[in-house]
Amino acid sequence: MVDDPRAILEPHRDRDRFPAAVVEALGDLNLEPSALIQAWEVSGLAPALDRPGRDRLFAVCLALLATQAQGHTRMSLVPGPGSAAEILYRAFGLGGFAAGPFLEGPDLAPVAGPPGSARPLILAGDWLYTQRLLDHEVRLAEAVRALALRAGLTPAPVDEAVFGDPVRLNAEQRGAVAMALEGALTLITGGPGTGKTSIVVAILRALLRQPGMTLDAIALAAPTGKAAQRMGEAIRASLGRLGTAGPAEEALKAAVLEPRTLHRLLGWHPAAERFRHGPGNPVPARVVIVDEASMISQEHLCLLMGALEPGARLVLLGDAGQLPSVEAGCAFRDLVATQGGRCVELLHSYRMSPEDPDGRNILSVARTLRDPESGSLWEGDEPIHVRVGLDELAFRQVELLEPGAGGMRAFLERWFDKEVTGLPDFLPLARRVYTSIDGAWGEGDAEALAALFRHFDAFRILCALREAGDLRGVEDINRLLHGWMLARTGEGLKGITPFCAGEPVLMTANDYRRGIYNGDQGIVLKVRFGDVLRQAAVFPRLKGFTAFPVEPLKHQLEHAYAMTVHKAQGSEYTRIAIVLPRTDHRALTRELLYTGLTRARKSVVLLAERERIPFAAGNPSRRDSGLAERLG
């Protein structure tokens, strides 16, 4: 082993002294460079270790960080075949290595210890945790138990109009509303089209009929900016269809209902790198309602529950069958699995009606994917429609096309012409010079922007992987389509930038000063700010649009012709294409494909070899976590 593994990060250093097998394993596991440095620094906290001992500790720390990067909150001390630990131990020449006895040795006392000890590594039975993730797991379980033990409320009667306008709620939905009025913790899980938005509106109306409850005592939130935006749009659309006009409804219609991201709700302070709200300074709300709860990491759910006011109620809505959070844990799934008395599962889908054959087919395929025993993906009334060639695609329901040699490029050419630039006035809208003065848009600009955003909100390419060969990954697809757009709209601006007019973009980091957040989606356009013409990223807002010059943002933006399925959570499109890898990649899970399918309302084109579909169906996402055990 080298004296400092940071050598692998620096091209001018002698990488040959770093074992080739370890370099290959790190590449396969896609570990961030920061993990390498962190593992090396922790391995130096046990000064009594000899060099071989430090190498073993370094391998254990790397394995734990790689395990967490895959979404697990803990690592088995007896690693299974194909696990991150097994791969790294083998790369380090430690086949059959018993990490448990090694970590319990006296020389490891400054680094590893039992639960409750102030050590970076915690040994808990057959599992290894970082102290931080174990602390979040324990605190979250305690918070859930405390909410579950709180005495229920006796709500004031709610008039029947709440349950019958604008749509009539079924028994499942009514039960969810009643639970939210009575209990401290309510979990509502259901697939697309099961009426979760209708439930939120009914909960809001019912809450405002309770003595002493006001709208400013209710907080609405979602994990990402896009999910928060969609939550607000859906609520406002539902309120717009109301026929009832009581005081509660008038208050809701008059209010500016803008759900916040969890970071904004908790008051993230970037300079201090901490949240403003917590046990000593709770969120000022008596009821907190959070949508897309499957996307919440275990850590953030712990922080949210710790920031509730004494006596406050929490309502979490989501789909437990979707992908779990990008960060470690599967907290919502664990809560749904263990909190039966506080959970309502919505089973009836309103998109399964005869009037919506496209939506019915998509959701039927998604249901069969989740429960293979319920039917066949390839036969019956609602199958995946297999297309032999590109010309057979109808762009309706769920279709599978095996790309073959050159097939991906041919499909992308058609997609670019049909979807990306298919709007009749696309080029004039994309090449237009917009004007923004003190946040006010020039004549006709707002209408043109609305048309462009409606256009791009209708379709998207979703990929399982960021990087893959044969145009199967996000980065290669975005690079190709960027080149095509550059040839059409890239003229007219000085200098070379990574983006051109008319391109969809995605924020990859939170920018609190500008008020744009990781996951926010916008469009790059030419905007005149006063007398200066700039390339700008334009983002939708509750009322209108806002523009920011691209130059200071360019390292926080990426193209969004294609995005990962993970990034698409919280979004919904009319038509999508889902691109899968050629091989049985470990990222190809049942939850990933289910989440991708359920982003679409009318059309899904699966670009994949047919055998990838049953592989995904038989490969459920597994997350090692102790939360369910603590709550069970």
Side-chain angles (χ1 to χ4, degrees):
M1 184 63 66
V2 296
D3 292 332
D4 185 347
R6 281 173 278 202
I8 195 175
L9 308 178
E10 302 172 23
H12 63 277
R13 297 281 288 272
D14 182 6
R15 293 192 183 196
D16 292 340
R17 293 193 299 154
F18 206 94
V22 175
V23 175
E24 182 180 354
L26 292 173
D28 290 343
L29 293 169
N30 199 28
L31 265 182
E32 294 289 331
S34 59
L36 197 70
I37 296 170
Q38 185 180 350
W40 179 250
E41 290 176 344
V42 172
S43 71
L45 297 178
L49 283 178
D50 57 15
R51 186 49 190 266
R54 180 169 185 180
D55 287 350
R56 288 194 291 274
L57 180 56
F58 176 55
V60 171
C61 292
L62 267 182
L64 180 56
L65 292 173
T67 300
Q68 291 177 355
Q70 293 175 350
H72 308 289
T73 62
R74 59 186 186 175
M75 182 181 81
S76 173
L77 291 169
V78 186
S83 66
E86 190 267 341
I87 291 170
L88 281 166
Y89 293 167
R90 189 173 64 247
F92 275 84
L94 299 173
F97 173 55
F102 168 69
L103 293 170
E104 291 171 350
D107 292 343
L108 274 295
V111 177
S117 61
R119 302 289 187 273
L121 305 180
I122 303 297
L123 291 157
D126 294 329
W127 301 96
L128 180 66
Y129 288 86
T130 60
Q131 185 190 49
R132 181 178 64 86
L133 286 184
L134 178 59
D135 179 58
H136 288 140
E137 180 178 289
V138 171
R139 286 164 51 200
L140 177 55
E142 290 173 348
V144 171
R145 283 195 293 268
L147 287 176
L149 291 172
R150 194 191 303 166
L153 302 174
T154 303
V158 177
D159 56 83
E160 191 62 27
V162 169
F163 303 105
D165 177 25
V167 295
R168 180 163 297 281
L169 301 189
N170 61 32
E172 297 167 353
Q173 294 169 315
R174 292 172 70 114
V177 174
M179 187 178 291
L181 292 179
E182 298 167 6
L185 174 64
T186 300
L187 307 168
I188 303 170
T189 181
T194 52
K196 294 191 290 292
T197 301
S198 299
I199 290 173
V200 173
V201 172
I203 290 172
L204 291 172
R205 295 169 65 196
L207 284 170
L208 292 179
R209 285 168 163 79
Q210 303 304 305
M213 181 63 72
T214 58
L215 195 54
D216 59 5
I218 304 170
L220 301 174
T224 67
K226 183 64 175 178
Q229 178 188 337
R230 276 200 62 229
M231 183 186 189
E233 290 171 350
I235 290 173
R236 288 190 294 275
S238 185
L239 289 172
R241 296 192 298 271
L242 281 177
T244 308
E249 287 71 31
E250 294 301 326
L252 286 167
K253 289 179 180 180
V256 180
L257 289 176
E258 186 177 10
R260 289 172 281 179
T261 64
L262 283 180
H263 271 71
R264 285 181 61 198
L265 178 70
L266 295 173
W268 175 250
H269 195 298
E273 295 189 339
R274 61 181 177 82
F275 291 102
R276 182 168 67 253
H277 293 299
N281 181 29
V283 172
R286 293 169 58 188
V287 181
V288 177
I289 302 173
V290 185
D291 198 12
E292 297 290 352
S294 67
M295 300 170 65
I296 307 175
S297 70
Q298 181 170 292
E299 175 181 357
H300 285 121
L301 188 55
C302 172
L303 294 171
L304 172 62
M305 288 197 173
L308 295 177
E309 280 188 345
R313 283 172 275 171
L314 178 63
V315 180
L316 299 175
L317 301 100
D319 184 348
Q322 281 192 27
L323 280 167
S325 59
V326 175
E327 298 88 359
C330 49
F332 184 67
R333 187 196 300 175
D334 286 343
L335 263 61
V336 167
T338 59
Q339 305 300 298
R342 284 159 289 279
C343 178
V344 175
E345 182 177 8
L346 307 176
L347 299 174
H348 178 77
S349 174
Y350 293 90
R351 291 194 207 162
M352 302 287 280
S353 67
E355 291 76 24
D356 184 10
D358 297 337
R360 185 177 68 247
N361 177 254
I362 292 169
L363 293 182
S364 293
V365 170
R367 284 188 173 183
T368 303
L369 182 76
R370 281 192 64 186
D371 181 14
E373 300 298 320
S374 65
S376 169
L377 290 168
W378 311 104
E379 299 173 354
D381 294 334
E382 299 292 348
I384 298 174
H385 305 286
V386 179
R387 308 306 187 197
V388 176
L390 185 58
D391 292 340
E392 291 189 8
L393 288 175
F395 291 93
R396 291 187 56 200
Q397 304 189 359
V398 183
E399 303 172 282
L400 179 130
L401 177 66
E402 297 195 23
M408 276 303 304
R409 186 181 182 94
F411 173 82
L412 292 172
E413 287 176 349
R414 180 170 177 181
W415 182 270
F416 187 78
D417 291 337
K418 178 181 182 297
E419 299 291 356
V420 179
T421 61
L423 185 68
D425 295 326
F426 178 78
L427 287 179
L429 291 171
R431 290 171 174 166
R432 178 186 178 112
V433 175
Y434 296 80
T435 301
S436 178
I437 301 176
D438 297 328
W441 291 97
E443 184 177 355
D445 284 349
E447 292 79 6
L449 289 170
L452 271 177
F453 274 92
R454 282 195 302 270
H455 171 63
F456 277 110
D457 283 346
F459 60 88
R460 199 66 86 226
I461 297 172
L462 308 182
C463 300
L465 303 176
R466 286 193 61 84
E467 298 180 37
D470 305 312
L471 289 173
R472 302 288 185 107
V474 167
E475 294 188 358
D476 285 346
I477 292 174
N478 280 334
R479 190 178 301 114
L480 180 67
L481 271 60
H482 166 66
W484 292 344
M485 186 65 79
L486 191 65
R488 301 197 185 193
T489 69
E491 81 295 338
L493 286 173
K494 296 179 181 179
I496 298 174
T497 68
F499 308 100
C500 59
E503 292 199 294
V505 290
L506 177 77
M507 282 291 292
T508 61
N510 294 319
D511 190 321
Y512 297 94
R513 184 169 66 85
R514 294 179 176 87
I516 43 179
Y517 302 95
N518 187 5
D520 284 359
Q521 297 173 38
I523 302 172
V524 171
L525 296 164
K526 302 171 190 175
V527 177
R528 191 180 301 281
F529 297 91
D531 297 330
V532 181
L533 179 64
R534 306 283 294 274
Q535 194 183 46
V538 182
F539 295 91
R541 285 290 181 263
L542 180 63
K543 294 182 178 178
F545 306 91
T546 185
F548 303 96
V550 161
E551 186 61 27
L553 284 176
K554 64 184 181 182
H555 298 300
Q556 299 171 287
L557 291 172
E558 64 180 29
H559 293 103
Y561 297 106
M563 63 177 66
T564 61
V565 175
H566 260 114
K567 286 285 188 182
Q569 278 187 275
S571 298
E572 189 176 80
Y573 305 96
T574 304
R575 299 171 299 282
I576 64 169
I578 300 178
V579 183
L580 304 183
R582 283 188 177 275
T583 59
D584 291 342
H585 195 281
R586 62 175 176 268
L588 185 50
T589 64
R590 179 187 302 165
E591 288 78 7
L592 180 135
L593 191 51
Y594 171 83
T595 302
L597 285 165
T598 53
R599 297 311 88 205
R601 290 185 290 265
K602 297 292 184 182
S603 166
V604 177
V605 178
L606 293 166
L607 293 150
E609 286 66 34
R610 178 167 171 158
E611 57 265 29
R612 295 291 85 73
I613 309 305
F615 172 80
N619 184 33
S621 173
R622 183 181 61 83
R623 292 261 170 121
D624 286 330
S625 165
L627 180 61
E629 295 171 15
R630 294 179 188 278
L631 293 172

